[in-house]
Amino acid sequence: MISTFFNPAPPCNVAVVSSSFLRFKFIPKFPATVPLSSLSTVSFRAKTTVNRSLCAPGDASVQTDFCLLKKREFVFSAALPFLLILHESVEGFKAEAAELDKREVERIREEVRKVVTKGRAPGLLRLVFHDAGTFETNDTSGGMNGSIIHELDRPENKGLKKSILQEAKSTLDLIRPVSWADVIVVAGAEAVSICGGPSIAVDLGRLDSEKPDLEGKLPEESLDAVGLKQIFSRKGFSTRELVALSGAHTIGGKGFGSPVVFDNAYFKILLEKPWSSNGGMSSMIGLPSDRALADDDECLRWIKEYAKDQNVFFEDFQNAYIKLVNSGAKWRS
């Protein structure tokens, strides 16, 4: 219970309230039964006796203005404790919602971890890239919306499967329905982490698309550096982010170091250019688009930076991943 005391000092030549002070008690309840929109019209009434003998003659309009001013101050002062309580309650609600979101993320991670292995990590990370990679800034089409589930029969998605995550999603849906987009995003983050990469915190609440995205939106493996920069620019990514995201090829069968270790070996090998040698398996390392990065001066700047400092690569990859999985996403309220 909160008590508010008012003891206004009587100004000279102004009507005086006979009570020495007024006392109001507020017993706040939340949620409030009174709409917020009506707060400005709430009135407080007190029985008063006016001693008019203390009111000196003068301009009536001045006295009226003064009385209105004091009334406004009185009403505001009376309502202020309630507004502060309401503010604190709303802030508490926000904190509780944030905590709920953390628990939901952890619940999804627990289920996803049961099916994520180092051997499956490259495919899960590729699933993220192929779902989010359809985003275009010019019309905000595509993006991380779970549409990849409807696109698995396309040639560029050969080898991708939803069955790996189906069990995790089915279990989660029994507790609370979760979108394919959210499950895939969390699976990609866990794939990076289980292979020794950075821990990536992602937001949840994405909605799934009920239809596939348009075809031809993913970067082709045969693109040169100029073409890659152009298409990534249309998706809202800088050259630095392009190079950082390309570092995901450090795991998998592209030939950049260990296929199950997420590190900066990708960039070190790009600098060595082993495909330049004649014959041997070295000519099979990387895709044409990977090799093209090492021949571009702007890309080469970041390749050298990441090859020198793995921590810088981890930080940039983490930021670029979050940007990627938020691109084009539609969120539930």
Side-chain angles (χ1 to χ4, degrees):
M1 181 178 294
I2 298 178
S3 298
T4 305
F5 296 87
F6 299 93
N7 189 10
C12 181
N13 297 331
V14 177
V16 179
V17 177
S18 61
S19 302
S20 60
F21 63 86
L22 301 177
R23 180 176 180 179
F24 294 86
K25 294 183 179 181
F26 295 86
I27 304 177
K29 293 183 179 180
F30 190 83
T33 57
V34 179
L36 292 180
S37 59
S38 66
L39 285 178
S40 60
T41 62
V42 172
S43 60
F44 294 83
R45 297 181 180 179
K47 185 177 181 180
T48 61
T49 302
V50 179
N51 185 352
R52 297 186 181 278
S53 63
L54 294 179
C55 294
D59 189 341
S61 63
V62 173
Q63 293 185 22
T64 300
D65 290 344
F66 183 86
C67 290
L68 288 174
L69 176 61
K70 298 306 293 181
K71 182 178 180 181
R72 289 172 184 167
E73 291 179 354
F74 171 74
V75 173
F76 175 77
S77 299
L80 182 58
F82 176 77
L83 294 175
L84 291 175
I85 293 167
L86 182 62
H87 172 73
E88 291 173 359
S89 299
V90 171
E91 290 301 314
F93 176 79
K94 290 180 180 177
E96 186 177 347
E99 185 61 31
L100 178 64
D101 189 57
K102 288 181 181 179
R103 292 198 298 269
E104 188 174 358
V105 171
E106 189 55 36
R107 184 164 60 244
I108 293 178
R109 279 181 169 171
E110 287 176 1
E111 292 302 321
V112 168
R113 285 185 190 123
K114 296 176 182 179
V115 297
V116 175
T117 64
K118 289 185 177 181
R120 291 172 172 174
L124 292 173
L125 195 53
R126 183 168 168 244
L127 196 64
V128 175
F129 277 59
H130 282 226
D131 192 5
T134 57
F135 178 68
E136 294 282 347
T137 58
N138 59 346
D139 58 3
T140 64
S141 63
M144 194 70 229
N145 55 17
S147 66
I148 188 67
I149 302 304
H150 309 294
E151 303 159 3
L152 295 175
D153 58 343
R154 295 178 180 177
E156 64 268 26
N157 296 327
K158 184 179 180 180
L160 293 178
K161 301 176 181 179
K162 70 173 184 179
S163 57
I164 297 175
L165 298 174
Q166 184 69 67
E167 181 180 349
K169 187 179 185 305
S170 298
T171 301
L172 290 165
D173 284 341
L174 294 175
I175 304 171
R176 179 180 177 180
V178 61
S179 67
W180 272 110
D182 277 350
V183 172
I184 293 171
V185 166
V186 173
E190 288 301 308
V192 172
S193 178
I194 199 174
C195 290
S199 177
I200 306 175
V202 295
D203 293 326
L204 294 182
R206 295 168 188 79
L207 298 174
D208 282 339
S209 172
E210 297 181 356
K211 59 182 181 180
D213 288 336
L214 296 176
E215 296 187 56
K217 297 294 184 178
L218 294 176
E220 297 178 6
E221 297 178 355
S222 59
L223 284 174
D224 60 13
V226 174
L228 284 170
K229 288 190 288 186
Q230 288 176 346
I231 195 169
F232 269 77
S233 178
R234 293 202 304 270
K235 299 177 185 300
F237 292 90
S238 65
T239 299
R240 180 176 185 171
E241 291 167 329
L242 156 64
V243 177
L245 289 173
S246 297
H249 287 172
T250 194
I251 59 174
K254 306 292 191 301
F256 296 102
S258 171
V260 294
V261 176
F262 194 99
D263 56 16
N264 64 342
Y266 172 81
F267 304 103
K268 293 179 178 179
I269 293 176
L270 283 183
L271 292 178
E272 295 172 1
K273 296 184 177 182
W275 51 85
S276 299
S277 61
N278 296 325
M281 294 298 295
S282 59
S283 61
M284 304 296 292
I285 293 176
L287 300 172
S289 55
D290 291 316
R291 303 171 193 172
L293 296 178
D295 294 327
D296 181 83
D297 290 340
E298 189 178 7
C299 295
L300 188 59
R301 171 192 173 187
W302 297 111
I303 292 172
K304 290 180 179 179
E305 182 69 24
Y306 298 149
K308 180 178 64 175
D309 194 329
Q310 181 171 275
N311 290 331
V312 175
F313 164 53
F314 278 10
E315 182 177 355
D316 281 4
F317 181 86
Q318 175 181 329
N319 293 334
Y321 182 90
I322 293 173
K323 181 176 178 178
L324 176 71
V325 299
N326 289 345
S327 296
K330 303 295 186 296
W331 305 87
R332 66 172 184 251
S333 321

